[in-house]
Every structure is written in C-alpha cells, then in structure tokens.
Amino acid sequence: MTSKPTSSRIVLASRPSGKPVAANFRLEREEVRDLADGEVLLQILYLSLDPYMRGRMDDAKSYAKAVEIGGVMEGGTVARVVSSRDAAFKPGDIVLSHSGWQTHAIADGATLRKLDPDAAPITTALGILGMTGFTAYAGLRNIGKPKAGETLVVAAASGAVGSAVGQIAKIFGARVVGIAGGADKCDYIRSEFGFDAAIDHRSSDFASQLAAACPNGIDIYFENVGGHVWNAVFPLLNDFARVPVCGLIAHYNDGAAASEGHDQLPTVMRAVLRQSLTIRGFIQREFVDQRPDFYREATKWISEGRLRYKEDIVDGLEKAPEAFFGLLEGKNFGKLIVRIAE
C-alpha cells in the first residue's frame, strides 16, 4: 500500500496594506486526500507568477473573487498526472491547470488541458502560448487593431505580455516603441524582439525621449503600467488612438489615500471626446472563443522565428513570495515562472 503524498502549499495569511510582505503568506503542509470519481491528482511542475495576483489578495470588488484568508494563492500551473479517476488522463500526462501555489493538487479532470511536450516546451503554456501571450493577442486584435505604418507604444515591454504585444504588432506592420526599466531590458527588446525603439522609463528625461521616439504621435498605447508612464504617453496620443488597458501595475499597491489630490479625470475625458479616443479595459477571458486562432497563429509565428520569448525561472515553491514581490517592482526579466519539480 503506497503512502499518500504530502502537499506543501502557500496560503494567504493576511491581506496586505500597500505592498505585500512575507507575513501576508504562510507555508503549510497537509496529506493529500483520496480521489473522487472524475478527479486527478497532480504534481505541480511549474507555477506562473503574474501581476493580477496582487488584486486577488484584496477583499475588494473586482472581476474575480478574492483569495480567502487561509486559501491557497491562486495561479496557473503546468503539472504531471500522478493518479487519475478520469478516463481521459493517465499517470505521466502533462497538463495545464489552475492549481495555485502548491506542490500537489487535486483537480476536476474537466478543468484540465493536456499538453504535448514534443510540440513546445511545457513552460510556454504559462507564457507565450498561454494566458500572457493570449492577452497580448486578444488586446491587439480586438482593441488595438494595429495597421501598417501606425505607431504602437507598449509599457512593461520586456515582460511576458509587453514583449508579445510589440512583436505581434510588428507582424501586422506597425512601428513599435517599447518602454522598459533599465538599459539592459531596452537593449534586449531592440536586439532580440525587434522593437524599433526602446525607452527607459527611469531616465530623468523619459518624457522627452518618448516624444522624440514618436515624431508622428501614438496611434496605439497598450497600457500595462499607469503612473508616470501614462502621464508621458497621454499628450502624444493621436486622434482616434486606441488604448487597450491590460494592467496598472504602478497602482496595485496603492491605498485609499492614493485617490486624493489632483483629479485628472476631466482632462482625460475632454481628450476622449475631442480626439475620439478609445480607452477600453479588458480581461483576456472575454475573448475565449479566439483561443484556437491564437494557438494556430502564435505557433506558426514561433516556428518562423517571428515571435520570440524570454523566461525568468526561479527554483523552489518557498521562493514564490519573494519572486512575486520582485515582479511588482519590475525586477523580473521575461515571463516569471517558479520551477517546483521536474
């Protein structure tokens, strides 16, 4: 009789006030229960860390339910099937799941997607061929709608979403300007991802550099950041510019006091009216019916060398909180993934 595995998991111990800290998390261990019909026992191999997780830590109205206190931090995962009571899966299968920050999980087989390790590295299911890649694709296809000769600017351009946005826009013929933090990231997105220009948002003359890089204004701004980056982009928006709003990472740790001070809404709304701007927030799952198109096209672009990616892999579940803190401060370089097992 084989012993049941013990799962390690990181749970939300308390809700943060401002920046998350180590005390907001707790490492627990528990013996995995028996499977019911239709369930699958998974060993988690890789965990995706993404900015949206900060919002799940707050008990505030949002597009998704907050993580409960004592609940496992959520996140996308690639896992190996250990045992199964679902005929569609057998031990050894590699699957995409949403099992969160833990070493083992029990999942309903209906929620899993089987991966082919021979078709692409399995980590790509968390990045360029996963939620982040699809977010870039869906935001551009449905809101940005790049046309040949237009200028697109994307913030957090060395990250998983931003780097895909820039490359896909290039495929559609746009001129692409990326905004990133630091000379190394800027050099990389020019040399490896083929961006036409890259601007370091930490530069003292960032706004003037951005204006010089966009002599004909900005037709599409893919928003991942907010903050001072938005302030520099906003005056450069052309008439009929489109702004897919994917994230606002500069504000995820803001408290209630952050809304105090100068109200910029009237200025923004006047521009929306005067310049016929489109500013549209979106969540990638709104466009779930387009995923087959994305998988087909992205796989082709990768095989042709037109869509490239970079991964930032951290080893060990216990390193997830520290890596997550770094993600919120832009310390990662590429798609941030935690390797839990191999």
Side-chain angles (χ1 to χ4, degrees):
M1 181 176 180
T2 59
S3 60
K4 297 178 183 177
T6 297
S7 178
S8 297
R9 60 185 190 176
I10 293 177
V11 303
L12 182 64
S14 60
R15 301 204 185 279
S17 176
K19 290 184 179 181
V21 296
N24 297 133
F25 301 98
R26 183 173 66 246
L27 179 64
E28 296 182 344
R29 292 179 176 84
E30 70 171 5
E31 187 178 85
V32 176
R33 64 170 174 81
D34 292 330
L35 295 178
D37 287 342
E39 291 184 331
V40 178
L41 174 60
L42 305 174
Q43 179 187 24
I44 310 303
L45 304 179
Y46 295 96
L47 163 69
S48 174
L49 293 183
D50 300 284
Y52 78 82
M53 295 173 178
R54 175 61 185 85
R56 300 292 197 277
M57 299 177 74
D58 292 331
D59 189 13
K61 184 178 180 180
S62 184
Y63 61 87
K65 184 180 177 182
V67 176
E68 300 285 348
I69 298 298
V72 177
M73 280 295 297
E74 74 166 77
T77 53
V78 168
R80 179 186 296 114
V81 174
V82 176
S83 57
S84 173
R85 293 188 63 179
D86 182 322
F89 299 95
K90 65 181 186 301
D93 284 344
I94 304 298
V95 299
L96 179 68
S97 67
H98 201 78
S99 300
W101 298 24
Q102 54 188 336
T103 61
H104 296 77
I106 291 175
D108 183 336
T111 66
L112 305 176
R113 179 164 70 88
K114 196 176 295 186
L115 301 176
D116 180 1
D118 295 326
I122 58 177
T123 52
T124 59
L126 299 176
I128 195 66
L129 290 176
M131 182 185 70
T132 51
F134 181 61
T135 296
Y137 177 88
L140 283 178
R141 173 173 169 172
N142 296 282
I143 306 167
K145 301 178 180 179
K147 303 180 183 67
E150 291 190 319
T151 294
L152 175 141
V153 172
V154 57
S158 67
V161 173
S163 60
V165 166
Q167 293 178 87
I168 295 172
K170 289 285 291 181
I171 290 170
F172 286 111
R175 179 176 179 273
V176 173
V177 177
I179 299 172
D184 289 346
K185 291 181 178 179
C186 288
D187 289 344
Y188 195 92
I189 63 176
R190 280 191 300 261
S191 63
E192 297 297 323
F193 295 144
F195 284 40
D196 297 287
I199 312 298
D200 184 354
H201 69 79
R202 298 173 182 170
S203 300
S204 59
D205 59 343
F206 162 62
S208 61
Q209 285 192 40
L210 181 63
C214 303
N216 298 317
I218 297 171
D219 300 296
I220 307 155
Y221 172 52
F222 201 101
E223 175 65 286
N224 292 315
V225 174
H228 77 286
V229 174
W230 164 256
N231 293 338
V233 167
F234 178 60
L236 304 176
L237 294 175
N238 289 330
D239 290 353
F240 307 106
R242 289 85 71 197
V243 182
V245 181
C246 172
L248 296 167
I249 196 169
H251 304 288
Y252 286 170
N253 292 323
D254 288 350
S259 61
E260 299 174 1
H262 179 60
D263 183 3
Q264 297 185 20
L265 182 60
T267 300
V268 172
M269 293 304 290
R270 280 195 297 271
V272 168
L273 174 60
R274 185 177 64 251
Q275 297 176 239
S276 298
L277 304 180
T278 297
I279 301 177
R280 158 78 148 90
F282 75 101
I283 308 300
Q284 51 85 26
R285 66 188 182 198
E286 299 170 33
F287 307 110
V288 63
D289 60 314
Q290 296 172 15
R291 283 183 181 168
D293 294 340
F294 162 70
Y295 293 136
R296 182 182 65 256
E297 293 190 81
T299 300
K300 176 174 179 287
W301 293 333
I302 291 172
S303 69
E304 295 170 345
R306 305 172 76 190
L307 183 59
R308 306 179 70 178
Y309 62 94
K310 180 176 175 59
E311 296 175 336
D312 189 343
I313 296 181
V314 175
D315 284 300
L317 176 64
E318 70 283 357
K319 298 289 184 59
E322 181 182 358
F324 180 59
F325 303 152
L327 171 69
L328 296 177
E329 296 177 358
K331 293 182 178 179
N332 62 298
F333 195 166
K335 176 70 193 89
L336 186 57
I337 297 171
V338 179
R339 180 163 43 212
I340 296 175
E342 291 187 287

